[in-house]
Amino acid sequence: MTDYPSLHMIIAGEKVSGGSRRTFDVVNPATGETIGALPLADAADLDRALETAAEGFRIWRKSTPQQRAAVLQGAARLLMERQEDLARIATMEEGKPLAESRIEVLMNVGLFNFYAGEVFRIYGRELVRPTGQRSTVRHEPAGPVAAFSPWNFPIGNVGRKLGAPIAAGCSVILKSAEETPASALGVLQCLLDAGLPKEVAQAVFGVPDEVSRHLLASPVIRKLSFTGSTVVGKHLLKLAADNMLRTTMELGGHGPVLVFDDVDVDQVLDTAVAGKYRNAGQVCVSPTRFIVQENVFEKFRDGFARRAKAWKVGNGLEDGTQMGPMANPRRPDAMERLIGNAKESGARLDAGGERIGNQGFFYAPSVLSEIPLDAEIMNEEPFGPVALINPYKDEEAMVAEANRLPYGLAAYAWTNDVKRQRRLADEIETGMLGINSHMIGGADSPFGGVKWSGHGSEDGPEGILACMVTKAVHEG
C-alpha cells in the first residue's frame, strides 16, 4: 500500500512544484494531523489552464469514438489495478472507511466502461423531408468544461466530472476540493496514463471563489458542472449567467424516507441505518428525514437508536470500522449547532449528540425524534450522522412532509402496497426515488435533482448529452 503522496498541480499537463506559492494544508480527519501541503493556483496558472483547455478542445473534438472509448476503458483498467492505493489515499484525505473508498473506485470503473460504450450511441436523427431536401439533428461537444467537485466523494465525484466531458469530446478543467487533492489527481492520472492527450484534462486547486470567478468569466469555458451546496450553486449560477454557460448543477438535499406500517420494521432498519451513517452522513442523497407512520413509529425509533449506539466508529483504515470521522472540523461544529438547536426546540435525543475522543473530527451516530418542524435541522441539510424521526398519521400527511422543503434530490419509501408505490412515484417531488431500496444510482441511470437541488443529470446517456449542444442542419 502506498503512503500519502507528495502533492503537485497539473497545469497543461505539467507538474509544477510548490516553491513559494500559497499552499493549503491537507489534514487527515482521523488524526487532525497535516499530511501534505497543496500548492494553489494563481491568476497566471489559471490563464495557462484556459489556454490549454482551448487547445485541448481543438484536439479532442476531432477524436473518434474509438479513441475516446480506448482512453475510458484503459483508465478503467488502471483504476482497478490501482484500487487499493487510491482507496487508501481517499480514506486518509476524507476519513471514510476503506471499504467505502474501494467502492468509490469501482463506481468510476463502471462509469468509465459505460461511457466507453455510450460514445458509439450519441445518435442524431434525420427528419422526413421531400426528395432533394435533407434535415438532420446532430449532437456536438459543447466546448471546454469547468468542473467543480466536492470532498465527500473524492474519487467518485471526480470520475463523474472528468468522464462525461471526455466521452462527449470536450476538454475539461477540474477544480476539485482542496481537502482531497491526491484522490482527484489519482483519477486524472489514470486517464492520462491511458492515452488521454495532456491538453484535454487538467486539475487546478486554489481559493474556491478566486478560481470560479476567473474560470467562469473566460470566454473559453462553455459549460459549468458543479456538485456542492445549494448556496454555492446559486452563486456559481449567477457567475455562469454572464457568459450564458450551459450548466449541470447537483446541489444539496434533505432526503425524506417514508416508512409505512405494512413493512417489516427490522428489515427496513437494517438498510436504513447503514444508509444513514454511510460516509458519516456526508452524502447529498443521505436518508435524513424519516417520516414514519404512527403505528410503527416507536418500534422504528427505538430500533434505530439501538443500532446507532452499537455502530463502530473509528479510523477508516482500521478493520471493522463502520463509520469514520467527519471530513473537516467544520462538520462537528455544524452538528453541535444543529442538534443543540433541535433540543432547545423540544426534540428528543435518542442517541449520540456528542463528539467522540479528543483527536480528529469524530462525531457519534445520532438520532433525534419528535422534532418541531421549525427547528433548523428540519429545514437545513445537516450533512452529518444524524437521523431525524417523526410520526405521521397517514399517506397524505407523509407525502406533504416529503414535499415540504424546496429540496428534491433523493427520496425513499418503504411500503409493500403496490398501488401506493405507484402513487408515491407520481407524487413525491424528487429527481431520484428509491422504493424499498436505498440503491438509487448506477452508471446507466441519470443522477440529479429538482427544485433547489439543481438541474441536469450526471451518469447515464444524459450525462454525456449534458456536455453536448444540439444542432439542426437543413439542406435545400
Side-chain angles (χ1 to χ4, degrees), residues 384-407:
V386 57
L388 314 175
I389 307 177
N390 276 349
Y392 291 85
K393 181 180 180 180
D394 53 27
E395 180 180 328
E396 182 180 2
M398 294 167 75
V399 171
E401 169 57 21
N403 292 337
R404 175 178 61 87
L405 295 182
Y407 301 102

Side-chain angles (χ1 to χ4, degrees), residues 26-334:
V26 181
V27 173
N28 184 332
T31 64
E33 297 175 351
T34 298
I35 55 177
L38 174 69
L40 302 180
D42 58 23
D45 295 322
L46 298 175
D47 284 337
R48 283 199 303 274
L50 288 163
E51 181 180 353
T52 302
E55 176 60 23
F57 181 53
R58 285 191 287 270
I59 295 170
W60 201 238
R61 70 180 303 177
K62 298 178 182 178
S63 63
T64 65
Q66 289 80 5
Q67 288 173 304
R68 283 175 263 153
V71 166
L72 291 163
Q73 288 172 333
R77 288 193 295 271
L78 291 173
L79 284 166
M80 283 297 297
E81 292 173 10
R82 301 170 186 178
Q83 180 186 21
E84 199 63 28
D85 285 348
L86 288 169
R88 183 178 178 83
I89 288 168
T91 292
M92 292 174 70
E93 290 185 326
E94 200 271 350
K96 66 181 62 182
L98 195 56
E100 293 185 20
S101 295
R102 293 185 182 117
I103 291 172
E104 266 195 69
V105 179
L106 296 179
M107 286 170 53
N108 278 0
V109 171
L111 184 63
F112 285 5
N113 279 327
F114 174 78
Y115 279 160
E118 200 64 21
V119 297
F120 295 98
R121 293 185 286 272
I122 305 174
Y123 303 129
R125 67 184 189 273
E126 184 168 348
L127 308 181
V128 177
R129 291 292 182 267
T131 301
Q133 297 180 15
R134 186 170 183 260
S135 293
T136 57
V137 179
R138 54 195 292 172
H139 302 295
E140 299 179 347
V145 176
F148 301 156
S149 68
W151 44 260
N152 62 328
F153 285 87
I155 296 173
N157 280 328
V158 168
R160 282 175 167 157
K161 297 304 178 193
L162 292 171
I166 289 168
C170 300
S171 60
V172 57
I173 300 175
L174 172 71
K175 191 278 179 197
S176 67
E178 285 68 35
E179 290 92 342
T180 55
S183 301
L185 293 175
V187 177
L188 175 56
Q189 196 64 55
C190 288
L191 288 159
L192 296 174
D193 290 347
L196 184 72
K198 65 181 187 296
E199 296 87 355
V200 175
Q202 309 162 75
V204 298
F205 301 94
V207 178
D209 194 50
E210 290 181 12
V211 175
S212 58
R213 287 182 184 276
H214 197 109
L215 295 183
L216 299 182
S218 170
V220 170
I221 298 299
R222 305 300 295 273
K223 161 78 190 281
L224 163 65
S225 178
F226 173 74
T227 298
S229 72
T230 296
V231 172
V232 175
K234 289 181 177 181
H235 168 66
L236 293 179
L237 278 172
K238 292 174 183 176
L239 296 179
D242 286 340
N243 276 336
M244 293 296 292
L245 300 182
R246 300 174 67 85
T247 56
T248 297
M249 311 298 289
E250 197 259 280
L251 307 180
H254 204 297
V257 187
L258 288 71
V259 182
F260 291 89
D261 61 8
D262 62 344
V263 299
D264 182 325
V265 170
D266 288 323
Q267 182 181 13
V268 175
L269 285 169
D270 288 342
T271 300
V273 174
K276 174 66 263 181
Y277 299 128
R278 177 170 71 114
N279 197 20
Q282 299 165 128
V283 181
C284 56
V285 296
S286 180
T288 297
R289 279 178 296 143
F290 289 86
I291 301 167
V292 184
Q293 199 159 15
E294 287 176 341
N295 294 353
V296 293
F297 166 71
E298 290 188 4
K299 182 177 182 180
F300 186 88
R301 178 199 61 200
D302 295 346
F304 209 114
R306 282 196 304 272
R307 287 166 169 81
K309 293 173 182 177
W311 214 247
K312 184 176 179 182
V313 181
N315 190 316
L317 295 177
E318 296 176 358
D319 291 341
T321 295
Q322 292 175 290
M323 189 181 94
M326 305 199 78
N328 55 61
R330 303 186 301 275
R331 300 317 308 154
D333 289 347

Side-chain angles (χ1 to χ4, degrees), residues 353-429:
E354 60 187 4
R355 297 173 187 253
I356 299 176
N358 58 7
Q359 184 184 52
F361 314 130
F362 292 95
Y363 201 86
S366 303
V367 176
L368 290 169
S369 63
E370 301 179 71
I371 314 114
L373 293 185
D374 60 357
E376 292 177 1
I377 203 166
M378 290 297 290
N379 299 280
E380 175 184 336
E381 182 179 26
F383 217 64
V386 57
L388 314 175
I389 307 177
N390 276 349
Y392 291 85
K393 181 180 180 180
D394 53 27
E395 180 180 328
E396 182 180 2
M398 294 167 75
V399 171
E401 169 57 21
N403 292 337
R404 175 178 61 87
L405 295 182
Y407 301 102
L409 185 58
Y412 308 88
W414 291 86
T415 178
N416 292 319
D417 184 327
V418 174
K419 289 186 177 180
R420 176 186 285 146
Q421 292 172 5
R422 293 170 181 167
R423 289 196 300 271
L424 295 175
D426 286 339
E427 294 171 2
I428 295 179
E429 299 167 353

